[in-house]
Protein backbone atom coordinates (compact mmCIF):
# COMPACT_ATOMS: atom_id res chain seq x y z
CA UNK A 1 0.00 0.00 0.00
CA UNK A 2 1.48 3.34 -1.03
CA UNK A 3 2.11 6.10 1.47
CA UNK A 4 0.84 9.61 0.77
CA UNK A 5 2.08 12.77 2.45
CA UNK A 6 0.11 15.99 2.21
CA UNK A 7 2.14 18.94 3.43
CA UNK A 8 1.30 22.61 3.75
CA UNK A 9 3.95 25.30 3.64
CA UNK A 10 3.61 29.02 4.12
CA UNK A 11 6.72 30.83 2.94
CA UNK A 12 7.84 34.17 4.31
CA UNK A 13 6.90 36.53 1.46
CA UNK A 14 10.33 38.11 1.15
CA UNK A 15 11.85 34.66 0.41
CA UNK A 16 9.20 33.47 -2.05
CA UNK A 17 11.27 33.73 -5.26
CA UNK A 18 14.18 31.85 -3.74
CA UNK A 19 11.95 29.10 -2.33
CA UNK A 20 10.16 28.69 -5.68
CA UNK A 21 13.49 27.88 -7.31
CA UNK A 22 14.40 25.47 -4.54
CA UNK A 23 11.02 23.68 -4.69
CA UNK A 24 11.53 23.06 -8.40
CA UNK A 25 14.92 21.44 -7.75
CA UNK A 26 13.53 19.44 -4.83
CA UNK A 27 10.70 18.10 -6.99
CA UNK A 28 13.09 17.15 -9.80
CA UNK A 29 15.42 15.23 -7.50
CA UNK A 30 12.65 13.59 -5.47
CA UNK A 31 10.98 12.23 -8.61
CA UNK A 32 14.24 10.37 -9.33
CA UNK A 33 14.15 8.51 -6.01
CA UNK A 34 13.59 4.76 -6.33
CA UNK A 35 10.71 4.75 -3.82
CA UNK A 36 8.94 7.87 -5.07
CA UNK A 37 5.77 7.47 -7.14
CA UNK A 38 4.72 11.10 -7.46
CA UNK A 39 5.55 14.56 -6.15
CA UNK A 40 3.07 17.35 -6.85
CA UNK A 41 3.41 20.95 -5.76
CA UNK A 42 0.47 23.38 -5.75
CA UNK A 43 0.68 27.13 -5.19
CA UNK A 44 -2.30 29.08 -3.87
CA UNK A 45 -3.82 31.50 -6.34
CA UNK A 46 -5.08 33.88 -3.65
CA UNK A 47 -2.02 33.63 -1.40
CA UNK A 48 1.00 32.76 -3.58
CA UNK A 49 3.25 32.18 -0.59
CA UNK A 50 1.15 29.15 0.42
CA UNK A 51 1.90 25.70 -0.99
CA UNK A 52 0.41 22.23 -0.77
CA UNK A 53 2.70 19.32 -1.55
CA UNK A 54 1.27 15.89 -2.30
CA UNK A 55 3.92 13.20 -2.21
CA UNK A 56 3.48 9.49 -2.91
CA UNK A 57 5.95 6.76 -1.98
CA UNK A 58 5.84 2.98 -2.32
CA UNK A 59 6.07 2.61 1.47
CA UNK A 60 6.64 4.45 4.72
CA UNK A 61 10.23 3.21 4.56
CA UNK A 62 10.67 4.88 1.16
CA UNK A 63 9.35 8.12 2.66
CA UNK A 64 11.78 7.81 5.58
CA UNK A 65 14.61 7.32 3.10
CA UNK A 66 13.47 10.48 1.30
CA UNK A 67 13.71 12.45 4.56
CA UNK A 68 17.29 11.22 5.01
CA UNK A 69 18.34 11.86 1.40
CA UNK A 70 21.15 14.30 0.72
CA UNK A 71 18.99 16.52 -1.49
CA UNK A 72 16.20 16.72 1.12
CA UNK A 73 18.66 17.64 3.85
CA UNK A 74 20.40 20.24 1.69
CA UNK A 75 17.34 21.78 0.06
CA UNK A 76 14.55 21.50 2.63
CA UNK A 77 16.29 21.36 5.97
CA UNK A 78 19.08 23.82 5.24
CA UNK A 79 17.58 26.18 2.64
CA UNK A 80 13.75 26.12 2.78
CA UNK A 81 12.77 25.41 6.40
CA UNK A 82 14.36 28.60 7.76
CA UNK A 83 11.98 30.61 5.55
CA UNK A 84 8.74 28.81 6.40
CA UNK A 85 6.28 30.63 8.62
CA UNK A 86 4.07 27.50 8.70
CA UNK A 87 4.97 23.89 7.99
CA UNK A 88 2.69 20.96 8.68
CA UNK A 89 1.68 17.71 7.10
CA UNK A 90 0.06 14.33 7.56
CA UNK A 91 0.74 10.82 6.38
CA UNK A 92 -2.07 8.94 4.59
CA UNK A 93 -2.79 5.51 3.18
CA UNK A 94 -5.19 5.22 0.27
CA UNK A 95 -8.38 3.29 1.03
Amino acid sequence: MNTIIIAHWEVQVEHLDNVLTLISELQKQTLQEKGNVNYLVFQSVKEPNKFTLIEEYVSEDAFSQHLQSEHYQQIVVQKIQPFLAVRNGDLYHQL
Side-chain angles (χ1 to χ4, degrees):
M1 179 179 320
N2 287 359
T3 297
I4 310 293
I5 293 79
I6 300 176
H8 302 280
W9 292 357
E10 184 177 331
V11 177
Q12 296 169 7
V13 176
E14 62 272 20
H15 298 285
L16 182 57
D17 290 339
N18 184 41
V19 170
L20 279 169
T21 301
L22 292 167
I23 287 174
S24 178
E25 183 60 29
L26 173 65
Q27 182 181 38
K28 178 182 170 186
Q29 291 192 36
T30 300
L31 287 168
Q32 295 175 12
E33 292 177 21
K34 180 181 174 184
N36 179 265
V37 176
N38 209 351
Y39 195 95
L40 302 171
V41 180
F42 300 91
Q43 185 177 24
S44 172
V45 173
K46 290 184 179 181
E47 297 177 86
N49 66 315
K50 291 186 177 182
F51 297 87
T52 297
L53 293 77
I54 301 176
E55 308 173 42
E56 184 176 1
Y57 299 87
V58 296
S59 65
E60 286 186 47
D61 186 54
F63 174 60
S64 293
Q65 289 176 24
H66 164 69
L67 296 177
Q68 298 305 314
S69 70
E70 184 176 341
H71 64 269
Y72 181 88
Q73 291 296 314
Q74 289 180 352
I75 297 172
V76 177
V77 174
Q78 294 178 18
K79 296 178 181 176
I80 294 178
Q81 265 184 233
F83 304 122
L84 297 181
V86 174
R87 178 178 183 237
N88 60 60
D90 289 305
L91 187 124
Y92 296 86
H93 289 231
Q94 187 173 357
L95 299 179

